[in-house]
């Protein structure tokens, strides 16, 4: 789980950095970010404690935002 959380945090940071400098890879980065955030949300949902459920919710919100940015 820690590896998944690290992957998720790192791709979110990378996607934000790519977008901030208008990189030609920003859309691809957002697509990958959405994929990883969805996987992270699924893993977090397996745990019933509140902070894991909150994490899953935020990951799904991030994934949706990334999908929207990838379409733009």
């Amino acid at each position: 789980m820690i590896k998944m959380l690290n992957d998720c945090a790192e791709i979110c940071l990378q996607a934000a950095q790519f977008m901030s400098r208008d990189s030609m890879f920003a859309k691809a980065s957002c697509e990958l970010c959405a994929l990883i955030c969805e996987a992270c949300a699924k893993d977090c949902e397996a745990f019933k404690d509140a902070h894991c459920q909150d994490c899953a919710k935020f990951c799904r919100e991030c994934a949706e935002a990334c999908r929207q940015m990838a379409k733009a």
Side-chain angles (χ1 to χ4, degrees), residues 15 19 26-39 41 56-72:
M19 287 183 293
K27 287 185 180 192
S29 181
C30 286
E31 290 170 358
L32 181 58
C33 186
L35 181 70
I36 293 173
C37 284
E38 283 292 341
K57 176 182 174 267
F58 295 131
C59 285
R60 292 210 188 279
E61 290 173 2
C62 183
E64 180 57 29
C66 282
R67 280 191 291 275
Q68 293 301 317
M69 288 183 266
K71 290 180 187 176

Side-chain angles (χ1 to χ4, degrees), residues 3-50:
K3 289 180 184 180
M4 175 63 76
L5 292 169
N6 283 333
D7 286 350
C8 190
E10 287 179 22
I11 194 62
C12 288
L13 178 60
Q14 182 186 50
Q17 290 171 339
F18 277 30
M19 287 183 293
S20 72
R21 64 176 175 261
D22 199 24
S23 169
M24 62 189 247
F25 300 107
K27 287 185 180 192
S29 181
C30 286
E31 290 170 358
L32 181 58
C33 186
L35 181 70
I36 293 173
C37 284
E38 283 292 341
C40 190
K42 184 178 176 184
D43 284 358
C44 286
E45 285 174 341
F47 298 93
K48 298 304 173 197
D49 34 331

